[in-house]
Amino acid sequence: MACIQLLPLLFCSFLYIFNLNPSSAQISSSPVRSLVLPVTKDPATLQYLTTIYHGTSQEPIRVVIDLGCPSLWLYCSSGRLSSSRRLVPSCSIQCPAARPSNVSCAFSAAKFTTACGLSTVNSITRSATRGELVEDILAVQSVDGSNPGPVATVDHFLFSCAPQFLLNRLAKGARGMLGLGKSRVALPAQLASKFGLQRKFAACLSSSEGLVLFGHEPGYDSIFGAETSRSLMYTPLVTSPDGSGSSQDYSINVRSIKINGKRLSLGQKGIGGGTQISTTVPYTTLESSIYRTFIEAYKEAATDNYFMNLTVVAPVAPFGLCFSSKEIPSSAWLGPMVPSIDLVLQSEMVRWRVHGRNAMVPVIDEVMCLGFLDGGFNSRASIVIGGFQLEDNLLEFNLGSSMVGFSSLLTRQTSCSDYRAKMNSL
């Protein structure tokens, strides 16, 4: 009985495999140890973008990086038509592996040509629709030590073709979103499977230029330096306790928040709900009850006559707390000398410190605002760490050990744009 049930799937896969274009296959001549994506920040939308190359012509395509998205999706009707692109049938082996919605496979000729449906989401507008799972050639720059290596290709890279409306509110020129989530069709998993890489990647975002690096430790050390790599502190990746967010999100457990070393009093509820790390949320958001306590405590610390004595000014949207920057001293690397913010993780010894550079946003002349926003009472997580707070932190997402490592580069008097400068020859 089991063999009869498998027959349609095997027959469909047989037809699918022999429909491929043999000339599209490209085999790397040497082992690939690390791969890199250059990243830039769009000043208009505050989104992080990279360029991928796909198809036989290796057409460059700009995409928005989405840390929690399960796959790459593109508006496929624009640009040059790739002769190597193939629809993935709904009854193929690849279809259930991509975890699509409404997958079924009946033994009929129609099912052999029906495209595999994949739920596709724009996480910025939170719009979702049905996309069609396809495969094509994807090219990514490899790294040999600190030098550029050959361009590496994935011959049958799986992604989704989405309708044009899903591009709404993406940065100008972007044709989709590149998912770095945990699924089997996200970029990290497909690169690891193709090239035998470790299931981890490092992200180094910047207000100007940064990078995402995939692969083994030698690549990390040659770009970031062994000392920087060893400075990483680790905390477990968790599933949100209340089920908020998707299984693709990277979440950590923040046990408490401290401002200038003083713990916030958040009552019996505490933080709860998990803390997500996001590249599509510009500034960190806090659930409303946490935000109110946080803002009041920060204001008290910042206006303390003995320590800070900052001058509060009228808030500038979307921020809720702003200060005059006229008389605030500033460090060349750590930024404005303002109250420190600590996200305390699994123990008092493991904390993510937010320095002035990642806390204060210059908005208008002589005014800067605290870059934390009210996420509302129905926020998707109690805390969502946004892009501004991630910048100039080295982040390592290890899917094999289910851990995330983090280290502030500012304390080492360097930045992500400095490391990107090493890769400018790519």
Side-chain angles (χ1 to χ4, degrees):
M1 184 66 180
C3 293
I4 296 175
Q5 291 176 340
L6 284 173
L7 183 59
L9 186 62
L10 295 174
F11 181 65
C12 177
S13 298
F14 175 84
L15 294 180
Y16 177 61
I17 291 170
F18 280 86
N19 190 42
L20 296 177
N21 181 359
S23 65
S24 69
Q26 300 181 37
I27 301 175
S28 299
S29 58
S30 58
V32 173
R33 299 185 64 83
S34 300
L35 298 156
V36 67
L37 289 175
V39 179
T40 58
K41 185 175 184 178
D42 177 59
T45 61
L46 306 181
Q47 295 165 12
Y48 302 95
L49 296 104
T50 190
T51 300
I52 59 171
Y53 300 86
H54 100 301
T56 50
S57 64
Q58 294 192 6
E59 178 189 7
I61 297 176
R62 289 187 56 176
V63 287
V64 175
I65 292 178
D66 185 352
L67 191 61
C69 183
S71 66
L72 166 68
W73 65 261
L74 298 173
Y75 173 52
C76 297
S77 297
S78 63
R80 292 185 292 244
L81 178 64
S82 173
S83 61
S84 53
R85 184 187 304 155
R86 295 287 184 272
L87 282 172
V88 175
S90 61
C91 59
S92 68
I93 294 174
Q94 292 90 339
C95 192
R99 293 183 176 270
S101 57
N102 303 321
V103 175
S104 62
C105 185
F107 190 69
S108 67
K111 288 291 181 181
F112 298 150
T113 57
T114 300
C116 176
L118 189 66
S119 178
T120 306
V121 179
N122 177 330
S123 59
I124 295 170
T125 61
R126 302 194 186 183
S127 301
T129 188
R130 180 188 183 277
E132 292 185 335
L133 188 66
V134 300
E135 70 164 26
D136 204 344
I137 298 169
L138 182 80
V140 182
Q141 179 68 57
S142 69
V143 181
D144 183 8
S146 59
N147 300 312
V151 172
T153 58
V154 180
D155 303 322
H156 309 300
F157 190 86
L158 295 169
F159 63 97
S160 175
C161 283
Q164 186 175 12
F165 81 85
L166 216 59
L167 298 177
N168 186 33
R169 288 174 54 188
L170 296 191
K172 184 178 180 180
R175 286 174 48 190
M177 303 188 81
L178 179 62
L180 301 181
K182 304 172 188 174
S183 82
R184 287 179 283 180
V185 292
L187 181 64
Q190 292 200 62
L191 293 181
S193 175
K194 167 66 178 180
F195 300 110
L197 305 177
Q198 294 176 353
R199 294 180 58 232
K200 68 177 186 178
F201 64 95
C204 202
L205 303 179
S206 166
S207 60
S208 54
E209 296 183 328
L211 57 92
V212 177
L213 184 69
F214 306 86
H216 300 305
E217 274 86 357
Y220 282 43
D221 292 349
S222 61
I223 295 175
F224 301 116
E227 188 176 347
T228 299
S229 298
R230 286 194 296 268
S231 73
L232 291 168
M233 299 185 72
Y234 289 89
T235 192
L237 291 167
V238 300
T239 302
S240 299
D242 62 354
S244 64
S246 74
S247 60
Q248 301 302 317
D249 290 319
Y250 293 96
S251 295
I252 58 177
N253 186 12
V254 174
R255 294 181 178 272
S256 63
I257 301 173
K258 290 183 176 182
I259 297 175
N260 267 3
K262 184 177 180 181
R263 185 190 303 269
L264 264 62
S265 177
L266 298 173
Q268 291 184 344
K269 180 182 177 182
I271 293 176
T275 296
Q276 294 177 13
I277 305 172
S278 173
T279 55
T280 57
V281 174
Y283 303 101
T284 294
T285 63
L286 308 173
E287 186 270 335
S288 288
S289 62
I290 299 174
Y291 178 77
R292 286 199 303 267
T293 303
F294 175 80
I295 285 293
E296 288 303 316
Y298 196 92
K299 182 178 178 180
E300 180 181 346
T303 56
D304 186 289
N305 289 329
Y306 184 77
F307 291 104
M308 293 283 178
N309 198 24
L310 302 187
T311 301
V312 177
V313 299
V316 179
F319 306 106
L321 180 60
C322 299
F323 302 93
S324 169
S325 58
K326 283 193 292 188
E327 298 180 0
I328 299 178
S330 184
S331 162
W333 288 101
L334 300 181
M337 305 298 287
V338 294
S340 62
I341 301 168
D342 287 324
L343 305 180
V344 181
L345 302 172
Q346 65 265 36
S347 75
E348 294 289 332
M349 299 297 294
V350 184
R351 59 188 182 182
W352 184 326
R353 171 157 290 186
V354 181
H355 298 281
R357 160 63 183 81
N358 295 110
M360 289 294 169
V361 183
V363 288
I364 56 177
D365 288 344
E366 299 183 343
V367 173
M368 61 183 186
C369 298
L370 184 62
F372 289 71
L373 303 180
D374 188 342
F377 286 103
N378 298 315
S379 55
R380 54 180 174 172
S382 295
I383 303 173
V384 179
I385 303 176
F388 186 75
Q389 280 70 40
L390 299 179
E391 290 175 2
D392 293 319
N393 283 274
L394 176 60
L395 303 173
E396 179 190 272
F397 298 89
N398 193 321
L399 300 176
S401 64
S402 195
M403 302 284 284
V404 58
F406 57 94
S407 178
S408 172
L409 301 180
L410 301 174
T411 60
R412 313 186 74 80
Q413 298 188 359
T414 186
S415 67
C416 290
S417 58
D418 289 342
Y419 292 122
R420 169 66 185 278
K422 294 183 180 181
M423 314 303 297
N424 278 344
S425 59
L426 297 182

